């Protein structure tokens, strides 16, 4: 994707200049302990700093939640958006969009990459308003089953369908997640890339130790 942007940009827009780093704005509602926070941190650390200029925008964790940044990622410096968090509050959400638009106009990202449902909706909306060339969202799971009443689930599905139309690329952490989202009419199959979450494994035991442990 970065090569496509560098050459000519999506939708015919201008791409990245020679020698210019790709600016990535990563948005997540909150960095509570869990898979989304882990992946966002790994991406912030892992992408080549000579090629990418990254910023992480996030709200604060809820009372009783542990902050992944404090526990495991003190080296990742976040940009805090006070009104960006888990709870849905229309006034705060509108302020969060306005704040994100202002930040995008200052930072001028080539890519906005959103994580989690609420940040995905607000971040992609802000990216459209700020005319960010490329928009990416990662589905670490979904809220289609077992979270809300049927009426609220319909609202979630409608919101995700609309948000998917604002994206150049959708990422799912597994084929089942992708297939269930596509079956619900959220995005097109060709929009998706499946990227399983990485897991660090220790050194394998020798044969005798493995048989003993088994």
């Amino acid at each position: 994707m970065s090569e496509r942007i560098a050459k000519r940009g999506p939708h015919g827009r201008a791409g990245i200049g020679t020698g210019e780093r790709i600016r990535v704005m990563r948005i997540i509602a909150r960095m509570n302990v869990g898979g989304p926070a882990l992946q966002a941190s790994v991406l912030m650390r892992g992408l080549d700093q000579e090629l990418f200029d990254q910023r992480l925008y996030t709200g604060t964790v809820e009372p009783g939640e542990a902050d992944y940044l404090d526990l495991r990622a003190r080296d990742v410096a976040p940009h805090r958006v006070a009104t960006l968090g888990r709870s849905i509050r229309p006034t705060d959400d509108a302020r969060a969009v306005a704040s994100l638009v202002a930040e995008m106009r200052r930072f001028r990202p080539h890519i906005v990459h959103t994580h989690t449902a609420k940040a995905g909706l607000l971040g992609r909306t802000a990216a459209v308003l700020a005319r960010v060339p490329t928009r990416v969202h990662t589905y670490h799971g979904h809220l289609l089953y077992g979270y809300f009443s049927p009426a609220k689930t319909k609202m979630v599905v409608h919101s995700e369908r609309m948000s998917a139309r604002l994206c150049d690329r959708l990422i799912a952490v597994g084929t089942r997640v992708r297939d269930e989202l596509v079956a619900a009419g959220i995005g097109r199959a060709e929009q998706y890339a499946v990227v399983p979450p990485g897991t660090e494994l220790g050194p394998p035991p020798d044969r005798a130790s493995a048989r003993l442990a088994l």
Side-chain angles (χ1 to χ4, degrees):
M1 179 177 290
S2 60
E3 291 180 357
R4 176 167 63 90
I5 300 168
K7 290 178 180 177
R8 59 185 296 273
H11 314 306
R13 299 189 183 98
I16 298 170
T18 302
E20 185 179 5
R21 289 194 296 170
I22 300 171
R23 292 185 295 277
V24 181
M25 185 171 179
R26 206 172 308 285
I27 306 172
I28 184 171
R30 69 201 198 284
M31 289 288 285
N32 60 308
V33 174
L38 170 61
Q39 188 186 83
S41 299
V42 168
L43 288 170
M44 293 296 294
R45 292 181 180 128
L47 293 183
D48 189 339
Q49 294 185 8
E50 293 185 0
L51 299 177
F52 294 91
D53 180 6
Q54 301 183 86
R55 293 185 184 179
L56 174 67
Y57 289 79
T58 184
T60 56
V61 298
E62 297 283 309
E65 290 183 326
D67 192 320
Y68 187 87
L69 293 173
D70 288 340
L71 293 177
R72 295 293 181 89
R74 290 183 178 272
D75 57 314
V76 177
H79 293 258
R80 296 288 185 182
V81 180
T83 50
L84 184 62
R86 179 184 183 184
S87 301
I88 297 176
R89 300 186 181 94
T91 301
D92 283 349
D93 295 343
R95 290 174 178 168
V97 170
S99 296
L100 291 171
V101 169
E103 290 293 332
M104 291 174 190
R105 288 174 175 167
R106 281 191 286 267
F107 182 44
R108 295 182 298 111
H110 301 102
I111 301 171
V112 162
H113 184 181
T114 57
H115 302 258
T116 67
K118 179 180 171 180
L121 174 60
L122 302 186
R124 283 177 280 182
T125 299
V128 170
L129 295 174
R131 300 178 63 83
V132 176
T134 302
R135 301 174 289 273
V136 180
H137 179 71
T138 292
Y139 286 101
H140 299 271
H142 56 64
L143 303 175
L144 300 180
Y145 312 119
Y147 285 90
F148 306 114
S149 66
K152 287 186 177 180
T153 298
K154 287 183 180 180
M155 293 177 61
V156 169
V157 170
H158 177 72
S159 173
E160 290 292 353
R161 286 174 178 171
M162 297 297 293
S163 297
R165 295 174 187 171
L166 307 179
C167 264
D168 296 275
R169 178 68 73 181
L170 301 169
I171 300 173
V173 296
T175 55
R176 181 175 177 179
V177 172
R178 177 202 60 195
D179 293 346
E180 290 176 345
L181 289 165
V182 171
I186 298 170
R188 306 180 309 277
E190 60 269 22
Q191 278 182 282
Y192 282 87
V194 174
V195 183
T199 302
E200 294 183 1
L201 299 177
D206 59 68
R207 183 177 180 84
S209 298
R211 288 181 64 85
L212 181 63
L214 181 61

